[in-house]
Amino acid sequence: MDTSRRTVLAAGAAALVAGCGDDGGEDPATRPPDATPTEPGQDSPAPGGEELARTADIPVGGGKVFADKKIVVTQPESGEFKAFSAVCTHQGCTVANVSDGTINCLCHGSKFGLADAAVEAGPATKPLPPERITVSGDSIRRG
């Protein structure tokens, strides 16, 4: 490879790296929220992100897979809601359902616990990663 081509490749790589993730050094935790303030008399927005489900949609001792959102929400005990990635840690399939007390991936038969997504049956060897949700009233929201 000649010197001019190496220079062009190095300059292109440097430009790509410089364009990725430079937020001016500002800490996201100290950045003001993006939401617009509410006018007096308006209801404030519900906490958390987009609504995934109503609490009544998630059965006690079961759960629901939101395949399009890649998240599974469970209710191991009454009033206790958990959320995990719906992407199986074995080979990346989306888990199919929650039944018989486990989160189930039908691709290769892995099963995960409702409360902590620990592997209950392989071939997966790692639990499903947790996801953040907020429960406010009867609304379950992402984040």
Side-chain angles (χ1 to χ4, degrees):
M1 183 183 306
D2 65 36
T3 306
S4 63
R5 184 169 174 176
R6 256 187 260 148
T7 304
V8 169
L9 290 175
L16 178 63
V17 170
C20 292
D22 183 12
D23 66 356
E26 186 176 26
D27 181 1
T30 61
R31 196 176 301 150
D34 293 333
T36 56
T38 57
E39 296 294 320
Q42 283 185 321
D43 292 331
S44 60
E50 74 177 302
E51 184 173 74
L52 292 169
R54 309 304 272 173
T55 55
D57 297 337
I58 311 300
V60 176
K64 185 172 180 180
V65 176
F66 300 90
D68 59 329
K69 311 269 192 250
K70 304 281 189 213
I71 191 168
V72 57
V73 178
T74 65
Q75 187 176 188
E77 296 184 29
S78 183
E80 178 187 6
F81 296 91
K82 304 282 185 162
F84 307 99
S85 169
V87 178
C88 182
T89 56
H90 175 236
Q91 287 192 348
C93 293
T94 301
V95 297
N97 61 51
V98 181
S99 64
D100 301 322
T102 57
I103 301 165
N104 307 301
C105 181
L106 301 182
C107 288
H108 301 103
S110 293
K111 296 180 182 291
F112 304 90
L114 296 179
D116 58 4
V119 176
E120 293 196 5
T125 59
K126 297 178 189 170
L128 298 174
E131 293 281 341
R132 290 182 50 140
I133 56 171
T134 57
V135 180
S136 179
D138 64 351
S139 177
I140 301 171
R141 295 182 171 277
R142 190 171 217 162

